Amino acid sequence: MPPVDPLQEQLLQLQQRVQAVLPQVERLTCDRVEGQAQQGVPIYDSCPLQRCRSSVLLPVRHNGSPDCVVGFHASGAAAFSEAEQATLEALAELIGLTVHSHFLALGSLDAAAQLAHDFAALRDFETGSHLNRVAQYARQIAEVLAERHGLSSLYVEQIGRFSRLHDIGKIGIPDAVLLKQGPLTPEERLVMNTHVDLGLTMIEKVLDQHALLDQPGAEVLRNLIGHHHERLDGSGYPQGLKGEEISLEGRIIAVADVFDAITNTRPYRQGLTVPEGITELERLAAAAQLDPNCVAALVGVLRGQGAQGPST
């Protein structure tokens, strides 16, 4: 399962603090509202929720503009004294700061990822096209799994954005191997396989330089790079992980990566058609190499598109 979003954990802690001060508070919400709240005017004792008779809606500003509105709702009428309102205002500012910092960190991580992706695309056009196609397949798989397994929209977004970096380590592979117009020898294959560890080393340096090592999404990014060649039966590399030892994002990207590889033509082999690629995915799932749920998700999407993959 994907890691718990640290933002959600922080908001839960804030909610618990509010409930300790005001036992009658039934829920804490962040909402966008019309009218006075958007203009930056606090609203007291006007509750938009059923079962609640009073609320405090506090606009939170950043650089002079409303960022979000934090709502504290209670079941009793006139439940919030002036002292309690002051406490809630302070908590609302803290929540707003947390939200802003969260999205600022995500923006920094995404900018670093985009820079690395653009650099990889300059190295080899086919590699760049492959990265984009795989990212599209991976997002489609994650979207299907989200509906069935309750994955967060943030997690799906991270999959879509960061899947482009799964092969980033190929930047460090010599041209004689990376750009070879034919099958690799066993020795060359060993060199090519080092791209996973090279990618992890590179991304750790990027995360460290930008103080992003512990930010939301960093672990998903690491797993997309580190697990995309692992296989459920332990036959993959570099760690030979088995089953659920492989992260969900690793199992997702493995299916997307394999499907794109087998359905695209190389100088030394003809790519399979999309229906043939679907058959091969299902064979690999039956052989316990690829996650059957991830395979079924992508197959469902492809068949829904008339067995046509995304454009390059």
Side-chain angles (χ1 to χ4, degrees):
M1 292 298 293
V4 176
D5 181 9
L7 176 63
Q8 296 298 324
E9 292 184 326
Q10 293 170 35
L11 291 180
L12 178 60
Q13 292 172 4
L14 290 172
Q15 183 177 14
Q16 292 170 343
R17 290 176 58 186
V18 171
Q19 290 174 335
V21 175
L22 299 170
Q24 68 269 45
V25 173
E26 291 192 341
R27 62 182 289 190
L28 168 63
T29 61
C30 291
D31 250 324
R32 294 189 180 277
V33 298
E34 300 295 334
Q36 288 180 301
Q38 281 192 339
Q39 298 169 14
V41 180
I43 301 173
Y44 299 105
D45 297 319
S46 174
C47 184
L49 302 177
Q50 295 181 355
R51 299 172 54 235
C52 297
R53 299 180 64 192
S54 61
S55 66
V56 178
L57 303 179
L58 301 170
V60 178
R61 292 177 169 273
H62 177 69
N63 291 335
S65 300
D67 236 2
C68 63
V69 176
V70 180
F72 301 88
H73 308 294
S75 57
F80 305 103
S81 68
E82 290 186 6
E84 291 166 342
Q85 291 169 12
T87 299
L88 296 181
E89 287 176 3
L91 285 173
E93 290 298 328
L94 181 57
I95 292 171
L97 180 61
T98 300
V99 171
H100 180 73
S101 297
H102 173 76
F103 286 104
L104 184 63
L106 283 180
S108 298
L109 183 58
D110 185 53
Q114 182 61 51
L115 180 62
H117 168 262
D118 290 346
F119 185 42
L122 289 174
R123 176 75 191 280
D124 170 31
F125 178 80
E126 178 51 34
T127 297
S129 298
H130 167 72
L131 299 178
N132 290 326
R133 291 192 302 266
V134 169
Q136 187 170 344
Y137 288 132
R139 180 189 289 272
Q140 290 171 330
I141 295 170
E143 287 172 347
V144 174
L145 295 182
E147 296 175 2
R148 296 175 181 174
H149 302 290
L151 305 179
S152 71
S153 58
L154 174 62
Y155 180 71
V156 174
E157 182 66 17
Q158 290 168 349
I159 293 292
R161 287 178 179 272
F162 301 149
S163 289
R164 296 173 300 172
L165 291 178
H166 73 282
D167 269 344
I168 190 67
K170 288 185 176 179
I171 292 175
I173 300 299
D175 285 350
V177 175
L178 180 65
L179 305 181
K180 183 178 180 180
Q181 300 296 297
L184 300 180
T185 66
E187 293 76 16
E188 290 169 336
R189 174 54 59 188
L190 289 176
V191 173
M192 179 66 82
N193 289 357
T194 65
H195 79 276
V196 175
D197 288 330
L198 286 172
L200 287 172
T201 299
M202 292 173 60
I203 211 63
E204 285 299 313
K205 289 181 179 179
V206 171
L207 294 174
D208 184 42
Q209 289 172 358
H210 294 274
L212 297 170
L213 289 170
D214 299 320
Q215 292 300 330
E219 189 63 19
V220 174
L221 177 53
R222 292 185 186 99
N223 289 339
L224 287 166
I225 296 171
H227 293 175
H228 72 280
H229 281 295
E230 299 289 354
R231 297 294 180 259
L232 295 185
D233 62 359
S235 63
Y237 67 89
Q239 299 182 68
L241 301 177
K242 293 183 178 181
E244 293 191 0
E245 292 176 348
I246 307 169
S247 64
L248 176 58
E249 49 269 24
R251 286 175 271 150
I252 288 173
I253 194 70
V255 172
D257 190 32
V258 166
F259 182 75
D260 187 71
I262 63 179
T263 55
N264 279 274
T265 297
R266 297 291 184 267
Y268 52 90
R269 62 164 173 80
Q270 179 68 34
L272 301 179
T273 65
V274 171
E276 290 170 340
I278 289 174
T279 298
E280 179 63 9
L281 283 186
E282 293 174 332
R283 185 190 70 79
L284 292 172
Q289 291 195 30
L290 297 179
D291 187 304
N293 292 325
C294 296
V295 168
L298 182 57
V299 168
V301 169
L302 293 169
R303 286 177 173 158
Q305 296 171 344
Q308 297 298 316
S311 61
T312 59

